[in-house]
Amino acid sequence: MTTATYGMFSEAGNKQIADIIEFHKNQKSSWSVVLQNLRDLADSDYELFGEAMDTEVREIVYTELGLKSDFYI
């Protein structure tokens, strides 16, 4: 099974982002909570998930979640 592409450099990274999106859709989380989750992922293994804080990845996640709050917090 191929995971959707969310701007990550690996399928494992894209899977992590897909899981984050699914979780926060269900929780109806605020952008600040989602952003912290992305930061935590990037910090957990910078070589594997460091790009989770790249603008492209953050914009994709923000859009997928349908958020309307301020992106730049």
Side-chain angles (χ1 to χ4, degrees):
M1 178 176 115
T2 303
T3 305
T5 301
Y6 296 107
M8 298 292 281
F9 298 151
S10 68
E11 189 162 338
N14 282 313
K15 173 72 170 101
Q16 289 291 319
I17 298 299
D19 290 347
I20 287 171
I21 291 169
E22 182 178 344
F23 175 81
H24 290 292
K25 273 186 181 178
N26 291 331
Q27 296 297 313
K28 298 182 179 14
S29 301
S30 67
W31 178 233
S32 62
V33 172
V34 177
L35 192 58
Q36 184 61 54
N37 197 185
L38 292 173
R39 182 169 287 120
D40 292 344
L41 175 63
D43 291 344
S44 72
D45 185 336
Y46 189 76
E47 287 189 29
L48 190 57
F49 304 123
E51 67 272 19
M53 284 303 293
D54 287 358
T55 303
E56 178 184 1
V57 175
R58 290 182 291 132
E59 287 176 342
I60 290 169
V61 171
Y62 183 89
T63 301
E64 287 287 322
L65 291 173
L67 296 169
K68 303 293 182 206
S69 60
D70 191 4
F71 180 79
Y72 296 101
I73 55 172

